[in-house]
Amino acid sequence: MRLLTHNMLSSNIKGVINGFPLRIEAEKVVIKEVDFNPDFIKNMFSKIDWKALADASKIMGYAELPEEVPDHSVLDSDEFLQKFHHALLQLHLEEGALVCPETGRRFPVNKGIPNMLLHEDEMNLDATCTSSASNP
Amino acid sequence: MSSRPELQAPPEIFYDDVEARKYTSSSRIVGIQAELSERALELLALPDDGIPRLLLDIGCGSGLSGETISEDGHQWIGLDISRSMLDVALERETEGDLILGDMGQGLGLRPGVIDGAISISAVQWLCNADKSCHEPRLRLKAFFGSLYRCLGRGARAVFQLYPENNAQRELILSFAMRAGFAGGVVIDYPHSSKKRKEYLVLTCGPPSMSTMTPSAKGEDENSCSDEESSGDEENQTVCISDRHRSRKKQKVTKKGKTRSWVLQKKEKMRSKGNVVPPDTKYTARKRKARF
C-alpha cells in the first residue's frame, strides 16, 4: 500500500468522528520504482493532507519531507517534486497495521493489502437507520 | 438467468481461489472485462488534458479493470471483498493499491479526494442480504452516501451492472439519487440479448449540461438512455407486433427477398451489435445461373 492510499483512507467505525489519519505500524517497508509524472504530483498536491504524509513517511523511514505545509511555490522545484513523488508513490507498506486514532482498532496490512473489513458491531449503519425507516 | 452468481453465495465466498483463477486463465472473461472497463472509462469522460487522475475501482477483483485504467495513465485504488481475487491481483502485479473492504459498509475515504469511480459488475451484489446483519437498503445508502462524499465536485462514477429485474434497477437508482447524484442508466445495444450492457452513470452535484447522460451505443433513437422504464416499453412493442403478425404477411416475404429487405435486415443486425459485412453494389444480387 502506498502512502497515497494511506492519505485517502480514514477509519469508518461507528461513532468515530475523526478517523484520519490512521497511525501506521510498519513491520516491513518496500520501495518500488514508479515512473515520475510531475503533472499527477502537482495535481495531487492540493488534495494531500501534508502533515499526515510527512508523519507517515517518517514512520516508514523517510525523513526528507519538510514538517510544515509547503506553499505552492515549491512545486516548481524539481528536487522537491522528486522527494514528494518518492514518499507518495514509491514507499509501500508491505506488512504491518493501520490503527484507528480514536478507538485504537487495528487494521492489519498483509502483503500490502489493508484489511478494512468491519465487524458487525462496528458498522456505521445505525445513524442512517431512523431516516430510512421513515421513508421506505 | 438461474446461473446468476449473486444467487449462489456471498461474494467473499463465491469468489474463492477456483473462481478467482478463472479471471486470469480464461481469455474470454479477460476480454469481456477489458471491454467493459474501456467503455466505463469512456463514459467517465475525464478531461482530456493528459493529467493522470486518481480513480477508485469498486469491486476491482483481480485488477483486470484496473489494468485498463493504468493503460490510460491514471492512478487507481481498488476495493474488493474477496481476498482470493486480491491475491490474484497481487500475482498480476497491478499498479494500483488494493484494499480489502466491503462497499456496503461505506467507503472509509476522506471527502472530495477522488476524481472518479468505476465499478464493473459489482453494485448489484449490494441488493443481497447474505448475513443476518445485512439490510440491502442500508448498505446501498451507506455505499452511495460515502461515495458521494469522497468524490470531488463534478466527478463522475460509472457502474456497469447486471440488475436482476426492473425493481432492482430502480432500487439502486433511487438510492443513488437520494445520496445526491444526478444521472441515469445508459444501455448499450438494447436490442441484443447478448451484447446488451447497462451502465449507471452518476455525477456529483446538481443537474446541469455536464451531468447529461451520455448516449448509448447501438440504438437508433434516444428512447433508452432516458429512464429505467424504457426497457419495459421495448418489450411491450415487440410483443404487440408479434401478436399482430398475420400469415399473409409471411407469405409475401417468401416470394423473394428484395434488396431493401436485405438492407433492412442488415441494419437490424448492426443495431444488435453483430458484425455485418458492408453494403455494396453486390448486396442482395442474384448469383448467376451457372454457379
Side-chain angles (χ1 to χ4, degrees), chain B residues 1-12 14-15 19 23 103 120-130 160-165 168 172:
Chain B
M1 287 284 259
S2 59
S3 61
R4 287 179 68 88
E6 291 83 5
L7 299 180
Q8 292 177 24
E12 64 271 33
F14 178 78
Y15 290 108
E19 191 67 25
Y23 279 74
M103 57 179 166
I120 307 298
S121 324
V123 176
Q124 73 268 13
W125 284 101
L126 281 176
C127 297
N128 289 17
D130 293 318
Q160 188 273 320
L161 58 140
Y162 295 112
E164 199 172 358
N165 47 38
Q168 205 174 68
I172 293 175

Side-chain angles (χ1 to χ4, degrees), chain B residues 127-197:
Chain B
C127 297
N128 289 17
D130 293 318
K131 291 179 192 149
S132 58
C133 59
H134 281 190
E135 163 59 55
R137 286 166 191 279
L138 291 185
R139 287 167 60 76
L140 279 167
K141 188 167 184 170
F143 170 66
F144 281 115
S146 59
L147 180 70
Y148 189 84
R149 278 194 296 279
C150 77
L151 285 176
R153 289 305 87 160
R156 269 191 179 179
V158 177
F159 306 128
Q160 188 273 320
L161 58 140
Y162 295 112
E164 199 172 358
N165 47 38
N166 229 349
Q168 205 174 68
R169 185 183 304 123
E170 262 171 49
L171 182 75
I172 293 175
L173 198 63
S174 73
F175 272 95
M177 299 297 148
R178 221 179 275 178
F181 285 106
V185 180
V186 174
I187 304 179
D188 281 355
Y189 304 112
H191 309 292
S192 164
S193 55
K194 223 195 230 170
K195 287 192 81 173
R196 178 193 163 101
K197 292 285 179 297

Side-chain angles (χ1 to χ4, degrees), chain A residues 57-73:
Chain A
S57 66
K58 201 173 280 176
I59 294 171
M60 307 266 277
Y62 184 76
E64 301 278 313
L65 291 181
E67 277 286 335
E68 67 279 13
V69 186
D71 52 16
H72 271 75
S73 60

Side-chain angles (χ1 to χ4, degrees), chain B residues 5-212:
Chain B
E6 291 83 5
L7 299 180
Q8 292 177 24
E12 64 271 33
I13 294 170
F14 178 78
Y15 290 108
D16 56 1
D17 289 338
V18 180
E19 191 67 25
R21 189 61 50 202
K22 288 184 191 167
Y23 279 74
T24 48
S25 58
S26 162
S27 58
R28 181 182 146 269
I29 291 185
V30 172
I32 292 176
Q33 293 283 321
E35 204 177 289
L36 292 177
S37 24
E38 256 166 50
R39 176 71 176 138
L41 265 184
E42 193 185 316
L43 290 171
L44 204 55
L46 293 166
D48 192 17
D49 50 8
I51 298 176
R53 309 283 158 158
L54 181 63
L55 304 183
L56 193 63
D57 186 356
I58 300 150
C60 64
S62 56
L64 288 169
S65 39
E67 253 163 48
T68 312
I69 300 178
S70 295
E71 275 167 26
D72 273 34
H74 301 292
Q75 297 283 346
W76 56 278
I77 298 174
L79 179 86
D80 206 285
I81 195 172
S82 159
R83 178 78 210 197
S84 301
M85 291 291 265
L86 292 176
D87 281 339
V88 173
L90 277 184
E91 266 173 46
R92 296 170 67 93
E93 297 186 340
T94 51
E95 282 178 40
D97 272 333
L98 306 166
I99 299 170
L100 182 66
D102 182 0
M103 57 179 166
Q105 295 175 347
L107 313 163
L109 292 166
R110 275 201 300 136
V113 288
I114 306 289
D115 297 316
I118 67 166
S119 160
I120 307 298
S121 324
V123 176
Q124 73 268 13
W125 284 101
L126 281 176
C127 297
N128 289 17
D130 293 318
K131 291 179 192 149
S132 58
C133 59
H134 281 190
E135 163 59 55
R137 286 166 191 279
L138 291 185
R139 287 167 60 76
L140 279 167
K141 188 167 184 170
F143 170 66
F144 281 115
S146 59
L147 180 70
Y148 189 84
R149 278 194 296 279
C150 77
L151 285 176
R153 289 305 87 160
R156 269 191 179 179
V158 177
F159 306 128
Q160 188 273 320
L161 58 140
Y162 295 112
E164 199 172 358
N165 47 38
N166 229 349
Q168 205 174 68
R169 185 183 304 123
E170 262 171 49
L171 182 75
I172 293 175
L173 198 63
S174 73
F175 272 95
M177 299 297 148
R178 221 179 275 178
F181 285 106
V185 180
V186 174
I187 304 179
D188 281 355
Y189 304 112
H191 309 292
S192 164
S193 55
K194 223 195 230 170
K195 287 192 81 173
R196 178 193 163 101
K197 292 285 179 297
E198 286 186 29
Y199 298 87
L200 190 60
V201 182
L202 303 172
T203 313
C204 260
S208 70
M209 277 305 283
S210 64
T211 64
M212 286 254 292

Side-chain angles (χ1 to χ4, degrees), chain B residues 226-276:
Chain B
D226 208 278
E227 273 304 294
E228 63 279 358
S229 59
S230 57
D232 232 23
E233 283 168 19
E234 219 85 68
N235 290 339
Q236 273 172 9
T237 50
V238 168
C239 292
I240 290 166
S241 68
D242 266 350
R243 202 181 296 150
H244 287 278
R245 191 185 290 150
S246 58
R247 282 200 176 157
K248 243 184 195 170
K249 211 177 175 184
Q250 281 177 333
K251 265 182 193 165
V252 171
T253 54
K254 241 182 193 174
K255 223 164 63 184
K257 293 180 167 106
T258 59
R259 185 178 154 83
S260 63
W261 180 87
V262 171
L263 288 177
Q264 202 186 337
K265 184 89 176 166
K266 286 175 87 172
E267 198 47 54
K268 198 176 163 195
M269 296 317 271
R270 251 178 230 126
S271 74
K272 283 189 175 181
N274 292 354
V275 180
V276 180

